[in-house]
Amino acid sequence: MFNLCIGCENSVEWARFIYYAPFVVIFQFGWAATQISHLALIPQLSHCENERVSLNAIRYAFTVTSNLFTYGITYLFFKINDSTDDSELSRKDAPKFMYLSIIVCTVGLIFQLIFHAGTDEKNSLSEEEIREKSSLFSNRAKLNWSGYLKSYRFYLVALLYMSTRLIVNMTQVYFPMYLTDSLELDKSSIALIPFISFLSGFLATFPQRRLKQNFGEYISYLIGSAIILMTCILFWKNSLIVDRKTTAIFSSIFLGFGNTIILCTSLTLTTDLIGSNTSSGAFVFGAMSFTDKLSNGLTVAVLQQFSPCEHPTSTCDCGNYYHSIMSFLPAICTFLSFISLSLLYANRKNHNEDNALLVNEESEENSSDQINYGTITNA
């Protein structure tokens, strides 16, 4: 994926698409399997709400750390190992991305081995003991996968998670183009400024537990949303603070803080949806990941379809196009997440009662079926 097409470097676009497509598919299968199983471990490792918040924050902190490592290495490649005076990206930079991918995959493989060797996912408590000991989930009904599909709250959380992921992923995808095409900064900025963004995101993981304890999930998410909207204003008014580069640095700092808060909070709401139904965790996170991947893929496809940069002409204005994407797309997604968050807040009191009704229906329909995602008989 991160190398020039072997034997077809100068081929037509459709031939290169056929070459790269299988690698993308394989990568996405592996990424989804890894992400879902890792997220599903959080409700399995702890039955305490505050501990789950901390685990989500710690997990995201290490995710940000890996991004910091990647952007740090990228910056070194472009600054130290750059023998040309060309400040723009070109095909000559392809080997740098190839070496970068090799380094990242090697380091990732080492930590993956450490994870598999050192993590015991077995919970010392049974699910019944967890339900008895946990004050948060003790009175919550147990659901299997089909019960979740009938839950109104399940779709609201999916909408919130999808909107959050759209904000986080789309800003990451289009940030480099915004820096180089819209702001016309040198190519080292595509490593340095995102590095600053992830560094601020890493710092934002530390107060997550305190934020949750003092304000709760809903107000915490609103705080993160407000920061995202402030970032959109800085993206639109890209010379508001001194000059373009300075404004980009401030917007990256706000973006890092906002993305961390809304993503950690959406994951907390997802684990809250799972409750003590830890054996349903993989299904719930899998469904959330499905909405995430589907929405992101469709969004990128639509944006690229209307992109003026697909067929460059003398009147092509890619800078304004990426400027509009970074300014308006996160704001639209923030508005969508606000709608789902408001409905979740309004539905919070009926959550347990609705689950109980769904469990009763499922127990009547599937009383003999025990081979499901998280099928648990009622006590």
Side-chain angles (χ1 to χ4, degrees):
M1 286 178 58
F2 297 97
N3 196 3
L4 294 175
C5 184
I6 301 175
C8 55
E9 181 179 342
N10 299 315
S11 300
V12 293
E13 185 176 346
W14 65 264
R16 284 178 286 158
F17 172 81
I18 294 174
Y19 175 86
Y20 284 111
F23 297 111
V24 175
V25 172
I26 294 171
F27 173 81
Q28 287 298 332
F29 267 104
W31 169 250
T34 304
Q35 181 190 41
I36 293 168
S37 59
H38 196 261
L39 284 169
L41 275 174
I42 292 176
Q44 182 70 33
L45 289 173
S46 175
H47 57 86
C48 174
E49 183 189 16
N50 286 331
E51 288 180 357
R52 289 181 176 185
V53 174
S54 297
L55 286 172
N56 276 318
I58 292 170
R59 179 185 180 275
Y60 190 71
F62 277 94
T63 302
V64 172
T65 302
S66 66
N67 288 322
L68 289 174
F69 171 79
T70 303
Y71 281 108
I73 296 296
T74 305
Y75 180 77
L76 292 177
F77 267 120
F78 283 123
K79 272 298 182 183
I80 298 176
N81 197 34
D82 195 0
S83 57
T84 67
D85 295 328
D86 188 8
S87 62
E88 297 182 355
L89 286 173
S90 65
R91 295 172 70 89
K92 296 178 182 179
D93 296 310
K96 297 175 184 178
F97 287 98
M98 180 188 68
Y99 295 135
L100 176 65
S101 64
I102 293 173
I103 294 172
V104 169
C105 289
T106 302
V107 174
L109 181 61
I110 293 172
F111 279 94
Q112 185 181 37
L113 293 174
I114 295 172
F115 167 78
H116 281 289
T119 304
D120 183 10
E121 64 178 292
K122 293 181 180 179
N123 202 311
S124 58
L125 299 176
S126 67
E127 289 203 4
E128 291 300 326
E129 290 173 323
I130 290 174
R131 297 178 71 82
E132 292 174 2
K133 291 178 179 293
S134 174
S135 60
L136 175 66
F137 306 124
S138 58
N139 297 319
R140 184 167 296 181
K142 292 179 284 186
L143 289 176
N144 61 16
W145 67 273
S146 56
Y148 276 110
L149 292 177
K150 298 177 182 178
S151 172
Y152 172 64
R153 194 175 181 85
F154 173 77
Y155 295 100
L156 291 179
V157 173
L159 179 61
L160 180 72
Y161 184 81
M162 179 192 75
S163 305
T164 303
R165 278 293 183 181
L166 276 171
I167 295 171
V168 174
N169 293 343
M170 291 301 99
T171 51
Q172 288 181 4
V173 168
Y174 288 101
F175 206 10
M177 281 83 84
Y178 171 76
L179 294 173
T180 55
D181 292 355
S182 301
L183 303 186
E184 299 179 343
L185 302 179
D186 61 82
K187 61 185 178 182
S188 63
S189 65
I190 68 171
L192 178 61
I193 295 181
F195 180 90
I196 296 172
S197 177
F198 282 113
L199 182 60
S200 66
F202 176 77
L203 296 176
T205 60
F206 293 103
Q208 282 299 304
R209 185 170 181 174
R210 184 69 62 182
L211 198 65
K212 162 65 175 59
Q213 290 174 339
N214 292 338
F215 300 104
E217 295 100 336
Y218 300 99
I219 299 300
S220 297
Y221 195 95
L222 287 178
I223 293 173
S225 299
I227 296 175
I228 293 296
L229 291 177
M230 189 185 305
T231 306
C232 292
I233 295 173
L234 291 178
F235 283 144
W236 180 249
K237 299 291 185 179
N238 50 36
S239 298
L240 189 62
I241 305 175
V242 184
D243 55 24
R244 288 187 170 189
K245 187 170 185 179
T246 305
T247 305
I249 291 173
F250 274 93
S251 63
S252 68
I253 293 172
F254 287 128
L255 182 66
F257 271 95
N259 281 348
T260 297
I261 294 172
I262 62 174
L263 186 55
C264 288
T265 306
S266 66
L267 288 172
T268 299
L269 287 169
T270 306
T271 55
D272 177 55
L273 177 70
I274 295 169
S276 61
N277 303 314
T278 55
S279 51
S280 300
F283 170 76
V284 174
F285 278 114
M288 301 299 153
S289 182
F290 174 75
T291 62
D292 159 30
K293 299 296 186 295
L294 183 63
S295 61
N296 278 272
L298 290 175
T299 301
V300 171
V302 171
L303 291 176
Q304 291 304 111
Q305 184 67 30
F306 291 98
S307 173
C309 311
E310 289 297 295
H311 305 286
T313 63
S314 58
T315 59
C316 174
D317 192 358
C318 298
N320 281 335
Y321 186 69
Y322 294 130
H323 179 222
S324 299
I325 289 175
M326 292 296 291
S327 302
F328 296 114
L329 183 58
I332 294 171
C333 294
T334 301
F335 177 73
L336 187 63
S337 67
F338 176 76
I339 294 175
S340 59
L341 188 72
S342 300
L343 293 173
L344 278 170
Y345 182 77
N347 181 255
R348 71 194 188 285
K349 293 182 179 179
N350 301 324
H351 181 34
N352 292 340
E353 289 80 358
D354 292 343
N355 278 358
L357 291 174
L358 290 169
V359 169
N360 290 333
E361 291 177 7
E362 289 301 314
S363 62
E364 293 176 2
E365 296 174 3
N366 304 302
S367 58
S368 61
D369 184 10
Q370 298 297 322
I371 310 176
N372 281 315
Y373 279 101
T375 303
I376 307 170
T377 56
N378 287 323

